[in-house]
Amino acid sequence: MNTPQTLIRNFSIIAHIDHGKSTLADRLIQECGAVSEREMTAQIMDTMDIEKERGITIKAQSVRLTYPYKGQTYILNLIDTPGHVDFSYEVSRSLSSCEGALLVVDASQGVEAQTIANVYVAMENDLEILPVINKIDLPAADVAKVKEEIESTIGLDCSSALEVSAKTGIGIKELIERIIESIPPPSGDENAPTKALIYDSWFDNYLGALGLVRLKSGTLKVGQEVLMMSSGKKYEVLALYYPNPLHRISTQEIACGEIGIISLGLKSVTQMAVGDTITDSKIPTDLPIDGFRPAKPFVFAGIYPIETDKFEELRDALDKLKLNDSALSFEPETSIALGFGFRVGFLGLLHMEVVKERLEREFGLSLIATAPTVVYEVYLTDGSKVLVQNPAQLPETQKIDYMQEPYVRASIITPSEYLGNIITLLANRRGVQEKMDYLTQTRVMLVYALPSNEIVMDFYDKLKSCTKGYASFDYEPIGYRTGDLVRLDIRVAGEVVDALSIIVDRAKSYEKGRALVESMKEIVPRQLFEVAIQASVGSKIIARETIKAMGKNVTAKCYGGDITRKRKLLEKQKEGKKRLKAIGKVELPQEAFLAVLKIDS
């Protein structure tokens, strides 16, 4: 029996990392009795170990809850969203499937940058936003101040904002009742042609690629033939389910306005693209749901196995990981220093960390990652344009007319006492100020245009350390701008180590080169011959350090006698070292490749 649309509520939770989103979802599931007390675990919506350990949501999950209220049984579809900036595309898809959103703000920390970014996405989708002040049981909680901050920053009326504590369960019942009363039911014509939005997909070992769909109009039935609007391919619906954190609930039909899981027997997640529209193949809808775009990688890095014979195992591991993470893209590449590996595209730095950690954990690989880079547009003197993501692929200097680098608009919210530190950091990173607003007397919001390659290394760490962890940071890409960029090469014993090359701003090339050769001098082991470590731009050497040779004490046996005896032995040793230098190869340890990531600007 289909639930009438008036009894359905679709909502998601918007919050910054660590503001209690997953804990609040746990309490809502518990209050609605979707999971028995015995089966309940903390962060039940987070299915990966990494999510539970780090306390972050990487993959958005959904759950269908039922709640009796005023004699009716309501269906509440909670669509969880990731809180980190890297997964903002998933957030926008999830929010377009809802009619309402809970804006969760920590009573002790106040509004953060990521919260504001996601609230604007919710507002663009015309969602009903309910402000919820969480963690009111903390001694540092200041509810009145946080309400004032939400009103001044976002412009939401907080006079009736709900005050809850997800940890202790205070105010959860009132919150569910407010969701039922304030969030509008879905609108959609159940007699119109089938139109469903895929807002998440993953791979199941038994059922193949599964899609989480929101029905905008019509119905989906088992056995129905459907059409994917982006690819034009037709498939039969093999099974339908309602989402539940522990075990999916099988159903024969998903009605208009509902959330459900669809199985079409597909072998890959790329065929079940997030943001695509599913419609009936016999009576298709005219227009797909707008806003579909494939997730675009933002940061690229080389990933290589430390044991070179594990290349095929790394390929298999990446193929398997891509089944669950459609945003991942990779292609094989080789490096003289590191052997065979892959150039992998990520949504951002957290995504890169998570993917590397999953490869190492789930597939037992030992990996080394090169410095992350972004995609540069290089315009050549013959009028053509090439896209470069690996510094080793940069054409020769004489062929380049000019280069453009991607920029982002960064929003930073910080306590005002750290303002000086942040402005210095942003100036060092070639940031251009766009605006500065005082949200309250003690909190400031800065908006800067920054080159992407300045934030992909260690910007977030530096920002956290210069503000004692209080600043929050969010960014969005804003296109390309021309920059004076050069490739900085590191030469060890005269040979360029391709995995250590980076693209930098010309004005910073000297200090970056200097810092790199100094840190490399500490890392490269001493040889029996002298080793020169140089930084160069083109053919010009801009910095050099020399690692002194290890020497055997050949004069130990000479005690007394003529000085010429010692000199003769030292000269003989010198000749031998020269010959060694001509044939000697310097093996670089793994730390040398990490030195690029750690140089402090």
Side-chain angles (χ1 to χ4, degrees), residues 501-536:
S501 299
I502 50 174
I503 294 175
V504 293
D505 183 48
R506 190 186 297 274
K508 284 179 151 189
S509 58
Y510 173 75
E511 59 181 283
K512 278 256 169 82
R514 177 87 260 144
L516 254 173
V517 293
E518 280 172 8
S519 62
M520 292 281 288
K521 185 186 177 184
E522 306 298 319
I523 293 163
V524 177
R526 284 176 74 185
Q527 310 291 323
L528 289 168
F529 52 92
E530 197 176 83
V531 177
I533 296 178
Q534 300 161 308
S536 64

Side-chain angles (χ1 to χ4, degrees), residues 152-308:
S152 63
T153 317
I154 302 166
L156 284 176
D157 176 26
C158 287
S159 53
S160 58
L162 287 148
E163 297 168 24
V164 303
S165 163
K167 192 174 176 184
T168 59
I170 302 167
I172 299 297
K173 207 173 160 65
E174 292 77 10
L175 173 59
I176 295 175
E177 290 172 4
R178 176 71 66 84
I179 290 168
I180 291 170
E181 286 166 5
S182 302
I183 291 177
S187 58
D189 183 358
E190 54 196 56
N191 301 315
T194 304
K195 192 194 250 186
L197 170 76
I198 304 174
Y199 67 88
D200 193 14
S201 61
W202 66 94
F203 191 78
D204 183 281
N205 291 337
Y206 301 104
L207 299 165
L210 297 179
L212 199 50
V213 296
R214 156 73 203 270
L215 247 83
K216 298 281 188 181
S217 64
T219 55
L220 270 176
K221 293 187 174 80
V222 174
Q224 181 180 352
E225 190 183 55
V226 293
L227 170 79
M228 293 282 188
M229 293 194 82
S230 70
S231 64
K233 292 191 173 153
K234 296 178 182 178
Y235 303 100
E236 187 191 339
V237 179
L238 301 180
L240 295 169
Y241 304 92
Y242 289 131
N244 183 290
L246 294 177
H247 27 74
R248 296 183 282 269
I249 303 155
S250 184
T251 177
Q252 288 300 302
E253 181 181 351
I254 297 174
C256 180
E258 289 193 313
I259 302 284
I261 298 168
I262 184 169
S263 167
L264 303 170
L266 303 179
K267 299 278 193 300
S268 141
V269 180
T270 42
Q271 296 169 287
M272 187 79 81
V274 172
D276 199 356
T277 304
I278 296 178
T279 185
D280 190 90
S281 64
K282 297 182 181 64
I283 326 165
T285 178
D286 310 333
L287 291 169
I289 298 159
D290 63 343
F292 169 65
R293 63 175 199 275
K296 274 190 22 209
F298 181 74
V299 170
F300 292 84
I303 288 190
Y304 297 84
I306 290 175
E307 298 156 48
T308 45

